[in-house]
Amino acid sequence: MTINILGKGTGWNELPNKPDGLVYGINDACLRTHVDVTFHMHHLDEFAKQEHSASSTRLFVQYANEHPEMEVITTRLWKEIPNAKEFPLEDIIDRFKMCYFASTVDYAISYAIYQNAKEIRLYGINMSVNEEYREQKPGVEFWCGYAMGLGIKVIGQPLYSSLFKTRSGLLYGYLTNQWGVEQ
């Protein structure tokens, strides 16, 4: 099974119109294109209070209610979203012996592994904005590495993404360009 994880960064629109497998959307990516499962791992009430998130949160809740076939995975059940399902945090921690989640993308990747994905494709998951780069990139790379260690193929978008790259783009110690990473 292929899992396509869709963020909102540059390159999100390269997701094929009819992709193989399922599409996991991050936050309100479902407002841009069809997704099968949406991960909204923020505290909904607090997220809606943030000026930059208020409108998108309102639109997301409205969309989720209009599309009950879309599974919505959250930190807990929300009365505003009847089709919400709680993320199986304890089961995933027990199975993988790891409790490291620095972003919603981490939850989506770990869930794809948990669902026995054979391939994970990342679209619009760039981790190149300062906050993302510092705080979230390590978690995304960890869960991608975990997946690869289990034999799951992971494909990113090298043109847009900072994933699997050093900040300078050089291989540490050799000072040559990185190479050999499938992208």
Side-chain angles (χ1 to χ4, degrees), residues 3-22:
I3 302 293
N4 302 279
I5 300 178
L6 180 65
K8 298 188 308 182
T10 304
W12 73 268
N13 56 340
E14 291 185 9
L15 175 75
N17 286 335
K18 294 186 179 190
D20 294 339
L22 297 174

Side-chain angles (χ1 to χ4, degrees), residues 99-176:
C99 183
Y100 178 41
F101 303 96
S103 73
T104 300
V105 178
D106 297 353
Y107 291 106
I109 295 169
S110 68
Y111 193 74
I113 299 167
Y114 182 74
Q115 296 293 337
N116 300 311
K118 300 294 179 221
E119 182 170 297
I120 298 171
R121 299 176 185 170
L122 306 172
Y123 295 92
I125 308 293
N126 303 334
M127 300 296 135
S128 49
V129 176
N130 275 339
E131 177 186 343
E132 286 180 341
Y133 190 91
R134 255 189 342 270
E135 299 174 18
Q136 300 175 3
K137 181 180 184 240
V140 172
E141 289 178 327
F142 169 81
W143 283 105
C144 285
Y146 200 108
M148 288 185 247
L150 294 173
I152 300 169
K153 187 175 184 177
V154 176
I155 300 171
Q157 292 179 297
L159 185 59
Y160 312 117
S161 178
S162 70
L163 292 173
F164 317 119
K165 295 178 185 172
T166 62
R167 184 168 277 241
S168 67
L170 300 176
L171 187 60
Y172 180 84
Y174 290 89
L175 303 178
T176 59

Side-chain angles (χ1 to χ4, degrees), residues 21-56:
L22 297 174
V23 178
Y24 288 2
I26 302 300
N27 298 326
D28 61 353
C30 60
L31 299 177
R32 295 181 174 191
T33 190
H34 168 81
V35 303
D36 300 294
V37 180
T38 290
F39 287 78
H40 204 294
M41 302 303 289
H42 301 100
H43 190 285
L44 198 60
D45 297 332
E46 292 303 314
F47 207 59
K49 290 178 191 174
Q50 297 174 11
E51 186 176 331
H52 70 281
S53 302
S55 175
S56 64

